[in-house]
């Protein structure tokens, strides 16, 4: 995928929006961070920091982008933004619903300057509904979508919720998908488009494995569905060294292979049972079995056909041979390591820019290209409209 001719004006900050546009920048898009003239994206200053003396989060999701600093509350800053919009393909914003309207940078206003514009809004709850104006973070979105309740057993587990950033990252991923979809739709002759992405909606979309039951009268609970711990052949088990191993033998052939390899052929015919006593007995047998060896000893012994795998720490995961073989973790010579674009393609951009932009570093460059001469830029800077 090469998006070299696509220009995106990105008004977002922190994680969800910048993650979305980092994916697009990695695919070759020209992403311009539109930051305010005060602090800009405050992920720049959020610890921990990298060797480049910027926040590690900022460093990870703002590479290869350019930065322009505009005061969109001022007439001069807003007019400069309109001139940039005229030459852009996409405007992406992450304000709470209504803020873009007050700043006069909403979709209806901007299509007057660029009728082919693809405009994407990303927010916690979307632009409509009773929660539209609520502030929120990941656990709020996951909770409203019902997935927090399906992935923990009690309140003590909430701070340790696996994948607790699925609202931010899932929302960012779907926003990137929506932007590319909007660009393709435009290329097919359908004109520009406005897309409203709610992180809560995206998280709810992840509930496909339990949504049918919930929509047809049942109330799926943790430990009571096929994928949340009901069956002992699809669960997580502690090993002798206090670490954990996954077993995901949903299909009978994988359960059979597992039972044969661990010498418990007597358990083979219990796969698929609904008898509570039998399910509990199998779980107890597996708990005892896995506790006899360390995690890595089990991994060395069990074959690829047993549907087992390690539960890794973040550090272990990012050093795992599988991710290394895929080249997912990038270690450039001139930049800190990071997790890169999560797909391999035969037409991927080469020689990506791994630099991160300074706050307003490209203001003069971009406004000059938009037709502002040095005197006009100086006047705007004197009025505080740009930085």
């Amino acid at each position: 995928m090469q998006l070299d001719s696509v220009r995106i004006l990105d008004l977002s900050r922190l994680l969800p929006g910048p993650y979305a546009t980092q994916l697009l920048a990695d695919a070759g898009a020209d992403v311009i961070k539109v930051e305010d003239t005060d602090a800009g994206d405050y992920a720049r200053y959020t610890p921990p920091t990298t060797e480049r003396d910027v926040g590690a989060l900022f460093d990870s999701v703002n590479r290869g982008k350019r930065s322009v600093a505009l005061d969109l509350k001022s007439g001069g800053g807003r007019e400069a933004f309109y001139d940039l919009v005229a030459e852009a393909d996409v405007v992406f914003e992450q304000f709470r619903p209504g803020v873009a309207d007050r700043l006069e940078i909403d979709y209806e206003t901007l299509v007057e300057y660029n009728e082919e514009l693809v405009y994407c809004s990303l927010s916690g709850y979307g632009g409509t509904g009773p929660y539209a104006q609520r502030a929120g973070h990941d656990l709020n979105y996951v909770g409203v979508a019902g997935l927090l309740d399906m992935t923990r057993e009690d309140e003590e587990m909430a701070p340790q919720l696996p994948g607790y950033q699925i609202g931010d990252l899932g929302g960012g991923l779907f926003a990137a998908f929506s932007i590319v979809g909007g660009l393709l739709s435009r290329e097919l002759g359908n004109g520009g488009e406005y897309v409203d992405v709610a992180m809560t909606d995206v998280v709810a979309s992840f509930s496909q494995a339990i949504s049918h039951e919930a929509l047809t009268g049942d109330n799926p609970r943790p430990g009571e569905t096929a994928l949340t711990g009901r069956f002992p052949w699809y669960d997580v088990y502690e090993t002798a060294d206090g670490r954990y191993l996954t077993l995901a033998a949903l299909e009978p052939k994988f359960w059979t292979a597992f039972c044969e390899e661990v010498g418990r052929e007597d358990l083979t015919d219990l796969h698929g049972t609904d008898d509570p006593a039998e399910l509990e007995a199998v779980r107890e047998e597996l708990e005892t079995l896995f506790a006899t060896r360390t995690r890595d000893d089990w991994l060395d012994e069990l074959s690829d056909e047993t549907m087992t795998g390690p539960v890794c720490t973040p550090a272990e995961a990012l050093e795992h041979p599988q991710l290394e073989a895929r080249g997912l973790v990038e270690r450039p010579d001139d930049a800190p390591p990071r997790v890169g674009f999560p797909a391999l393609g035969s037409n991927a951009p080469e020689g990506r820019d791994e630099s991160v932009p300074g706050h307003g570093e490209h203001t003069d460059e971009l406004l000059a290209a938009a037709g502002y001469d040095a005197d006009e830029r100086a006047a705007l800077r004197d009025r505080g409209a740009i930085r």
Side-chain angles (χ1 to χ4, degrees), residues 31 48 53 110 145 154 179 188 193 204 269 305 320 329-330 350 358:
V31 177
D53 200 31
L110 297 189
D154 53 51
I179 288 169
L188 293 174
E193 184 172 4
D269 291 340
E305 298 304 311
H320 195 281
V329 177
E330 300 177 352
E350 296 182 0

Side-chain angles (χ1 to χ4, degrees), residues 142 146-153 157 161-162 222 228:
V142 176
L147 291 192
L148 175 61
D149 196 42
M150 289 304 301
T151 51
R152 61 168 170 80
E153 295 181 357
M157 288 291 291
L161 178 69
T228 62

Side-chain angles (χ1 to χ4, degrees), residues 35-330:
E35 303 184 70
D36 61 61
T37 54
D38 186 16
D41 185 345
Y42 35 87
R44 290 179 177 278
Y45 319 108
T46 303
T49 58
T50 68
E51 62 194 40
R52 298 199 277 201
D53 200 31
V54 296
L57 176 61
F58 184 89
D59 202 319
S60 296
V61 294
N62 287 285
R63 298 197 186 186
K65 302 179 183 180
R66 297 190 283 172
S67 170
V68 58
L70 307 175
D71 179 6
L72 296 176
K73 296 178 181 178
S74 71
R78 196 159 47 246
E79 287 298 326
F81 181 69
Y82 294 156
D83 288 328
L84 293 175
V85 168
E87 301 299 323
D89 299 286
V90 178
V91 167
F92 178 49
E93 60 93 0
Q94 193 186 301
F95 299 117
R96 200 178 301 190
V99 173
D101 300 82
R102 293 196 295 273
L103 292 173
E104 299 179 48
I105 57 169
D106 55 289
Y107 175 68
E108 297 300 330
T109 298
L110 297 189
V111 290
E112 296 296 322
Y113 298 89
N114 185 340
E115 63 182 13
E116 294 287 296
L117 189 67
V118 174
Y119 189 115
C120 181
S121 297
L122 174 65
S123 62
Y125 302 102
T128 56
Y131 271 34
Q133 293 301 316
R134 289 175 71 111
H137 275 303
D138 289 289
L139 288 181
N140 303 115
Y141 317 142
V142 176
V144 170
L147 291 192
L148 175 61
D149 196 42
M150 289 304 301
T151 51
R152 61 168 170 80
E153 295 181 357
D154 53 51
E155 296 300 325
E156 296 296 322
M157 288 291 291
Q160 304 163 28
L161 178 69
Y164 69 95
Q165 291 179 326
I166 58 175
D168 278 356
L169 297 177
L173 180 62
F174 197 83
F177 168 81
S178 298
I179 288 169
V180 173
L183 290 169
L184 176 59
S185 178
R186 187 181 69 178
E187 290 302 306
L188 293 174
N190 298 313
E193 184 172 4
Y194 174 74
V195 183
D196 175 12
V197 179
M199 286 182 265
T200 302
D201 294 351
V202 175
V203 175
S205 178
F206 292 164
S207 71
Q208 304 298 339
I210 57 172
S211 60
H212 174 76
E213 295 170 84
L215 291 169
T216 54
D218 282 338
N219 187 25
R221 312 300 300 149
E224 295 181 2
T225 72
L227 302 181
T228 62
R230 177 183 180 187
F231 297 125
W233 44 83
Y234 195 92
D235 212 335
V236 179
Y237 291 94
E238 186 172 2
T239 55
D241 53 348
R243 305 176 93 174
Y244 293 86
L245 197 74
T246 60
L247 175 64
L250 279 180
E251 297 88 345
K253 66 177 182 178
F254 295 118
W255 175 246
T256 298
F258 170 78
C259 290
E260 290 175 352
E261 290 192 22
V262 300
R264 293 303 307 267
E265 290 89 342
D266 58 304
L267 300 177
T268 302
D269 291 340
L270 292 173
H271 190 278
T273 181
D274 278 327
D275 183 274
E278 290 181 336
L279 289 172
E280 185 58 29
V282 173
R283 192 181 307 279
E284 290 177 358
E285 291 291 336
L286 292 178
E287 289 174 348
T288 300
L289 176 69
F290 282 115
T292 62
R293 300 187 183 187
T294 68
R295 185 198 69 175
D296 291 346
D297 283 344
W298 279 117
L299 292 173
D300 289 339
E301 175 178 334
L302 296 171
S303 75
D304 295 342
E305 298 304 311
T306 60
M307 279 289 190
T308 52
V311 176
C312 296
T313 66
E316 287 176 326
L318 295 177
E319 293 178 353
H320 195 281
Q322 177 61 29
L323 297 190
E324 289 284 353
R326 297 281 294 173
L328 182 65
V329 177
E330 300 177 352

Side-chain angles (χ1 to χ4, degrees), residues 308-370:
T308 52
V311 176
C312 296
T313 66
E316 287 176 326
L318 295 177
E319 293 178 353
H320 195 281
Q322 177 61 29
L323 297 190
E324 289 284 353
R326 297 281 294 173
L328 182 65
V329 177
E330 300 177 352
R331 295 182 172 86
D333 293 334
D334 57 349
R338 67 155 175 149
V339 177
F341 192 76
L344 301 179
S346 59
N347 194 26
E350 296 182 0
R352 288 199 303 266
D353 180 3
E354 293 291 335
S355 65
V356 292
H359 183 197
E361 177 182 345
H362 304 93
T363 300
D364 283 293
E365 173 187 329
L366 290 164
L367 292 188

